Amino acid sequence: MQISCLIVDDEPLAVQLLQQYIEGMPYLRLNGVCYTAMEALSIMHHQKIDLLFLDINMPKLSGTELARIVGPQQKIIFTTAYSEYAVESYEVNAVDYLLKPITFDRFIKSVNKVIEFFKVDEEEQSIVVSPRQDKHFFIKTGKAFVQVHFKMVLYIEGTKDYVTFHTTEGKHMVYKRMKDLELLLPADFLRVHNSYIINRQHIKKIEEHHVQIDNELLPVSEKYREPFYAAIQKNIL
């Protein structure tokens, strides 16, 4: 399932940032960008929009005025540079209120709230991993399943309820917790940090409790040092 989105904001830089964030989320689909609330009304007349990223302080028709027009059934995340609008935004039953400048971490929290509203099945919109003995797994992106070979995965980075697979062919972000994913991975994958799982096949160097994977230097935290060094000890000549 994908959640269709519309950005409604008269600040080009804010629009650009939200576009980047939305493109980084596999379950959001950007249907358009509007610089006025009137443009948004026109698009919503012809398209079903699940979620509005809506600025409050806009000319002619404000974000809260637009929210009252479209009604309480429309899911809205307000985006604004002014904290004094917070109370007003909740009066129109917004899902969340993001204060600019918006961080990616805070953006993800808001999106998670929307996912709860739409009752997205985590298994359906997540990752399909083959049993440990298989050589590949599938990631669902939109309506397609993309096959990724384990040997192509450099390392996995966790952020809250999301993980990003850094592969030799690019990145894939999916809705999955690190602790759940860790149980599904082959033995070549080693947890080195709360935020990182590495593929030992791609280790270039280990020095001062850091692992070099490709051009990245990843920390080996104290919590994971003992099992990590025990695992690689077998390959030391």
Side-chain angles (χ1 to χ4, degrees), residues 14-137:
V15 168
Q16 184 179 4
L17 183 65
L18 284 171
Q19 283 180 301
Q20 291 174 357
Y21 287 171
I22 291 171
E23 288 170 1
M25 304 293 287
Y27 316 115
L28 299 182
R29 182 184 70 248
L30 183 59
N31 281 40
V33 171
C34 301
Y35 292 94
T36 69
M38 296 304 295
E39 287 181 65
L41 280 174
S42 177
I43 288 180
M44 295 174 72
H45 182 71
H46 297 95
Q47 298 182 42
K48 181 181 181 299
I49 302 296
D50 297 318
L51 173 63
L52 292 180
F53 289 96
L54 180 59
D55 188 15
I56 292 179
N57 189 21
M58 291 188 295
K60 295 185 179 179
L61 190 66
S62 72
T64 48
E65 289 171 332
L66 174 61
R68 292 188 178 97
I69 292 172
V70 297
Q73 76 284 351
Q74 177 65 56
K75 299 296 180 287
I76 295 172
I77 294 176
F78 278 114
T79 62
T80 180
Y82 304 98
S83 58
E84 60 265 30
Y85 288 127
V87 174
E88 188 177 356
S89 71
Y90 289 118
E91 286 177 353
V92 293
N93 200 30
V95 175
D96 206 352
Y97 176 95
L98 294 177
L99 191 62
K100 299 174 182 177
I102 301 166
T103 65
F104 189 48
D105 181 66
R106 186 66 182 84
F107 177 85
I108 287 175
K109 288 180 180 178
S110 288
V111 171
N112 282 340
K113 291 182 182 181
V114 176
I115 289 173
E116 290 297 323
F117 275 107
F118 284 99
K119 297 180 180 179
V120 177
D121 185 342
E122 181 175 329
E123 292 183 0
E124 175 189 344
Q125 53 95 11
S126 184
I127 175 175
V128 180
V129 182
S130 302
R132 283 175 176 261
Q133 66 268 25
D134 283 359
K135 297 180 180 180
H136 65 272
F137 60 97

